[in-house]
Tab-separated table of all heavy atoms in Angstrom:
chain	number	residue	atom	x	y	z
A	1217	LEU	N	-5.417	-1.943	-7.912
A	1217	LEU	CA	-4.516	-0.890	-8.366
A	1217	LEU	C	-3.109	-1.139	-7.843
A	1217	LEU	O	-2.125	-0.983	-8.567
A	1217	LEU	CB	-5.031	0.481	-7.895
A	1217	LEU	CG	-4.162	1.696	-8.234
A	1217	LEU	CD1	-3.959	1.803	-9.742
A	1217	LEU	CD2	-4.791	2.971	-7.684
A	1218	PHE	N	-2.996	-1.566	-6.593
A	1218	PHE	CA	-1.695	-1.862	-5.999
A	1218	PHE	C	-0.995	-2.984	-6.769
A	1218	PHE	O	0.200	-2.914	-7.059
A	1218	PHE	CB	-1.883	-2.255	-4.530
A	1218	PHE	CG	-0.601	-2.596	-3.818
A	1218	PHE	CD1	0.191	-1.592	-3.284
A	1218	PHE	CD2	-0.193	-3.910	-3.683
A	1218	PHE	CE1	1.377	-1.897	-2.628
A	1218	PHE	CE2	0.984	-4.228	-3.031
A	1218	PHE	CZ	1.780	-3.214	-2.493
A	1219	ILE	N	-1.761	-4.003	-7.113
A	1219	ILE	CA	-1.206	-5.132	-7.876
A	1219	ILE	C	-0.769	-4.680	-9.260
A	1219	ILE	O	0.287	-5.072	-9.767
A	1219	ILE	CB	-2.237	-6.269	-7.970
A	1219	ILE	CG1	-2.474	-6.888	-6.581
A	1219	ILE	CG2	-1.771	-7.344	-8.954
A	1219	ILE	CD1	-3.642	-7.840	-6.515
A	1220	ASP	N	-1.556	-3.833	-9.903
A	1220	ASP	CA	-1.224	-3.343	-11.244
A	1220	ASP	C	0.074	-2.543	-11.243
A	1220	ASP	O	0.890	-2.661	-12.160
A	1220	ASP	CB	-2.357	-2.470	-11.795
A	1220	ASP	CG	-3.575	-3.287	-12.206
A	1220	ASP	OD1	-3.442	-4.517	-12.344
A	1220	ASP	OD2	-4.656	-2.687	-12.373
A	1221	ILE	N	0.281	-1.712	-10.214
A	1221	ILE	CA	1.505	-0.909	-10.144
A	1221	ILE	C	2.708	-1.819	-9.947
A	1221	ILE	O	3.741	-1.662	-10.596
A	1221	ILE	CB	1.396	0.136	-9.018
A	1221	ILE	CG1	0.312	1.162	-9.390
A	1221	ILE	CG2	2.732	0.844	-8.787
A	1221	ILE	CD1	-0.062	2.097	-8.263
A	1222	GLY	N	2.609	-2.769	-9.030
A	1222	GLY	CA	3.512	-3.908	-9.015
A	1222	GLY	C	4.792	-3.852	-8.220
A	1222	GLY	O	5.240	-4.905	-7.765
A	1223	ASP	N	5.440	-2.702	-8.041
A	1223	ASP	CA	6.766	-2.715	-7.420
A	1223	ASP	C	6.854	-1.908	-6.125
A	1223	ASP	O	7.926	-1.502	-5.711
A	1223	ASP	CB	7.826	-2.227	-8.414
A	1223	ASP	CG	7.578	-0.788	-8.879
A	1223	ASP	OD1	6.472	-0.279	-8.630
A	1223	ASP	OD2	8.483	-0.197	-9.498
A	1224	ILE	N	5.724	-1.693	-5.466
A	1224	ILE	CA	5.728	-1.044	-4.156
A	1224	ILE	C	5.695	-2.139	-3.086
A	1224	ILE	O	4.844	-3.030	-3.135
A	1224	ILE	CB	4.504	-0.122	-3.987
A	1224	ILE	CG1	4.537	0.993	-5.031
A	1224	ILE	CG2	4.471	0.472	-2.587
A	1224	ILE	CD1	3.310	1.875	-5.029
A	1225	PRO	N	6.621	-2.124	-2.124
A	1225	PRO	CA	6.639	-3.170	-1.093
A	1225	PRO	C	5.328	-3.199	-0.302
A	1225	PRO	O	4.801	-2.165	0.093
A	1225	PRO	CB	7.806	-2.766	-0.188
A	1225	PRO	CG	8.683	-1.933	-1.057
A	1225	PRO	CD	7.760	-1.192	-1.971
A	1226	LYS	N	4.823	-4.394	-0.054
A	1226	LYS	CA	3.561	-4.549	0.671
A	1226	LYS	C	3.657	-4.023	2.102
A	1226	LYS	O	2.666	-3.555	2.668
A	1226	LYS	CB	3.176	-6.040	0.687
A	1226	LYS	CG	1.842	-6.359	1.356
A	1226	LYS	CD	0.665	-5.880	0.547
A	1226	LYS	CE	-0.671	-6.261	1.179
A	1226	LYS	NZ	-0.934	-7.722	1.154
A	1227	ASN	N	4.879	-4.063	2.678
A	1227	ASN	CA	5.001	-3.618	4.075
A	1227	ASN	C	4.906	-2.105	4.226
A	1227	ASN	O	4.947	-1.582	5.326
A	1227	ASN	CB	6.306	-4.119	4.697
A	1227	ASN	CG	7.553	-3.581	4.011
A	1227	ASN	OD1	7.473	-2.745	3.109
A	1227	ASN	ND2	8.706	-4.069	4.414
A	1228	MET	N	4.798	-1.377	3.114
A	1228	MET	CA	4.594	0.071	3.177
A	1228	MET	C	3.113	0.445	3.207
A	1228	MET	O	2.756	1.594	3.451
A	1228	MET	CB	5.257	0.765	1.981
A	1228	MET	CG	6.756	0.778	2.027
A	1228	MET	SD	7.443	1.765	0.686
A	1228	MET	CE	9.197	1.682	1.083
A	1229	VAL	N	2.252	-0.519	2.949
A	1229	VAL	CA	0.812	-0.274	2.954
A	1229	VAL	C	0.322	-0.189	4.392
A	1229	VAL	O	0.762	-0.953	5.262
A	1229	VAL	CB	0.071	-1.390	2.194
A	1229	VAL	CG1	-1.435	-1.223	2.325
A	1229	VAL	CG2	0.468	-1.371	0.724
A	1230	THR	N	-0.603	0.716	4.667
A	1230	THR	CA	-1.097	0.916	6.028
A	1230	THR	C	-1.986	-0.239	6.483
A	1230	THR	O	-2.994	-0.536	5.843
A	1230	THR	CB	-1.917	2.214	6.119
A	1230	THR	OG1	-1.150	3.282	5.571
A	1230	THR	CG2	-2.275	2.528	7.560
A	1231	PRO	N	-1.631	-0.900	7.590
A	1231	PRO	CA	-2.498	-1.963	8.130
A	1231	PRO	C	-3.834	-1.373	8.578
A	1231	PRO	O	-3.902	-0.233	9.042
A	1231	PRO	CB	-1.712	-2.491	9.331
A	1231	PRO	CG	-0.308	-2.028	9.126
A	1231	PRO	CD	-0.411	-0.729	8.385
A	1232	ASN	N	-4.894	-2.147	8.436
A	1232	ASN	CA	-6.209	-1.683	8.870
A	1232	ASN	C	-7.064	-2.880	9.250
A	1232	ASN	O	-6.721	-4.037	8.954
A	1232	ASN	CB	-6.886	-0.849	7.767
A	1232	ASN	CG	-7.041	-1.632	6.483
A	1232	ASN	OD1	-7.947	-2.457	6.340
A	1232	ASN	ND2	-6.156	-1.405	5.519
A	1233	SER	N	-8.166	-2.617	9.900
A	1233	SER	CA	-9.023	-3.677	10.439
A	1233	SER	C	-9.676	-4.523	9.355
A	1233	SER	O	-10.101	-5.650	9.619
A	1233	SER	CB	-10.106	-3.064	11.338
A	1233	SER	OG	-10.885	-2.125	10.610
A	1234	GLU	N	-9.774	-4.004	8.133
A	1234	GLU	CA	-10.419	-4.740	7.048
A	1234	GLU	C	-9.461	-5.680	6.324
A	1234	GLU	O	-9.878	-6.479	5.484
A	1234	GLU	CB	-11.019	-3.748	6.040
A	1234	GLU	CG	-12.112	-2.860	6.605
A	1234	GLU	CD	-13.336	-3.649	7.023
A	1234	GLU	OE1	-13.697	-4.608	6.306
A	1234	GLU	OE2	-13.920	-3.322	8.070
A	1235	ASN	N	-8.154	-5.540	6.620
A	1235	ASN	CA	-7.132	-6.363	5.978
A	1235	ASN	C	-7.172	-6.247	4.441
A	1235	ASN	O	-6.949	-7.217	3.734
A	1235	ASN	CB	-7.265	-7.834	6.395
A	1235	ASN	CG	-5.979	-8.609	6.135
A	1235	ASN	OD1	-4.879	-8.041	6.158
A	1235	ASN	ND2	-6.113	-9.898	5.885
A	1236	LYS	N	-7.475	-5.048	3.978
A	1236	LYS	CA	-7.443	-4.767	2.547
A	1236	LYS	C	-6.489	-3.605	2.306
A	1236	LYS	O	-5.999	-2.973	3.253
A	1236	LYS	CB	-8.844	-4.391	2.038
A	1236	LYS	CG	-9.858	-5.519	2.105
A	1236	LYS	CD	-11.212	-5.037	1.572
A	1236	LYS	CE	-12.252	-6.140	1.625
A	1236	LYS	NZ	-13.583	-5.667	1.130
A	1237	ILE	N	-6.219	-3.310	1.049
A	1237	ILE	CA	-5.342	-2.193	0.703
A	1237	ILE	C	-6.202	-0.974	0.414
A	1237	ILE	O	-7.016	-0.977	-0.505
A	1237	ILE	CB	-4.458	-2.535	-0.511
A	1237	ILE	CG1	-3.489	-3.663	-0.128
A	1237	ILE	CG2	-3.680	-1.300	-0.984
A	1237	ILE	CD1	-2.646	-4.171	-1.276
A	1238	TYR	N	-6.009	0.064	1.231
A	1238	TYR	CA	-6.790	1.287	1.063
A	1238	TYR	C	-5.907	2.496	0.728
A	1238	TYR	O	-6.408	3.610	0.628
A	1238	TYR	CB	-7.589	1.597	2.328
A	1238	TYR	CG	-8.816	0.731	2.499
A	1238	TYR	CD1	-8.760	-0.446	3.238
A	1238	TYR	CD2	-10.030	1.089	1.913
A	1238	TYR	CE1	-9.892	-1.246	3.398
A	1238	TYR	CE2	-11.154	0.304	2.072
A	1238	TYR	CZ	-11.088	-0.859	2.808
A	1238	TYR	OH	-12.211	-1.647	2.966
A	1239	ASP	N	-4.599	2.277	0.615
A	1239	ASP	CA	-3.719	3.396	0.273
A	1239	ASP	C	-2.612	2.925	-0.663
A	1239	ASP	O	-2.197	1.768	-0.624
A	1239	ASP	CB	-3.137	4.032	1.531
A	1239	ASP	CG	-2.255	3.075	2.326
A	1239	ASP	OD1	-2.635	1.891	2.476
A	1239	ASP	OD2	-1.193	3.504	2.802
A	1240	ILE	N	-2.158	3.840	-1.511
A	1240	ILE	CA	-1.059	3.567	-2.428
A	1240	ILE	C	0.115	4.453	-2.010
A	1240	ILE	O	0.075	5.675	-2.199
A	1240	ILE	CB	-1.447	3.876	-3.894
A	1240	ILE	CG1	-2.658	3.050	-4.327
A	1240	ILE	CG2	-0.252	3.635	-4.814
A	1240	ILE	CD1	-2.434	1.553	-4.378
A	1241	PRO	N	1.172	3.879	-1.420
A	1241	PRO	CA	2.334	4.679	-1.008
A	1241	PRO	C	3.003	5.324	-2.221
A	1241	PRO	O	3.432	4.631	-3.144
A	1241	PRO	CB	3.250	3.642	-0.349
A	1241	PRO	CG	2.330	2.535	0.080
A	1241	PRO	CD	1.292	2.470	-1.001
A	1242	LEU	N	3.083	6.645	-2.207
A	1242	LEU	CA	3.686	7.386	-3.315
A	1242	LEU	C	5.143	7.716	-3.030
A	1242	LEU	O	5.998	7.622	-3.917
A	1242	LEU	CB	2.909	8.686	-3.547
A	1242	LEU	CG	3.502	9.665	-4.564
A	1242	LEU	CD1	3.406	9.082	-5.968
A	1242	LEU	CD2	2.809	11.012	-4.494
A	1243	ALA	N	5.440	8.106	-1.806
A	1243	ALA	CA	6.797	8.524	-1.466
A	1243	ALA	C	7.029	8.338	0.022
A	1243	ALA	O	6.089	8.225	0.801
A	1243	ALA	CB	7.005	9.987	-1.850
A	1244	MET	N	8.294	8.291	0.395
A	1244	MET	CA	8.636	8.240	1.812
A	1244	MET	C	9.623	9.361	2.121
A	1244	MET	O	10.286	9.893	1.229
A	1244	MET	CB	9.227	6.887	2.191
A	1244	MET	CG	10.566	6.571	1.560
A	1244	MET	SD	11.205	4.991	2.166
A	1244	MET	CE	12.758	4.894	1.265
A	1245	GLU	N	9.688	9.719	3.378
A	1245	GLU	CA	10.623	10.740	3.838
A	1245	GLU	C	11.666	10.075	4.727
A	1245	GLU	O	11.463	8.967	5.211
A	1245	GLU	CB	9.903	11.822	4.632
A	1245	GLU	CG	8.765	12.490	3.890
A	1245	GLU	CD	7.923	13.375	4.797
A	1245	GLU	OE1	8.392	13.700	5.910
A	1245	GLU	OE2	6.813	13.721	4.391
A	1246	SER	N	12.747	10.790	4.947
A	1246	SER	CA	13.762	10.341	5.902
A	1246	SER	C	14.090	11.543	6.770
A	1246	SER	O	14.384	12.621	6.251
A	1246	SER	CB	15.014	9.861	5.160
A	1246	SER	OG	16.016	9.450	6.072
């Protein structure tokens, strides 16, 4: 799903022990 969406930076994805993508960043705050 992350690959299909295509334009979300990979460094926004939460690191985890499985080294897979388990979340899709929707928005950020400042």
Side-chain angles (χ1 to χ4, degrees):
L1217 177 58
F1218 179 83
I1219 292 170
D1220 287 344
I1221 293 170
D1223 61 347
I1224 298 175
K1226 183 70 177 292
N1227 62 5
M1228 289 186 176
V1229 174
T1230 308
N1232 58 79
S1233 58
E1234 297 295 321
N1235 199 29
K1236 294 180 180 179
I1237 294 175
Y1238 284 93
D1239 63 318
I1240 301 295
L1242 173 69
M1244 66 177 180
E1245 304 170 16
S1246 179

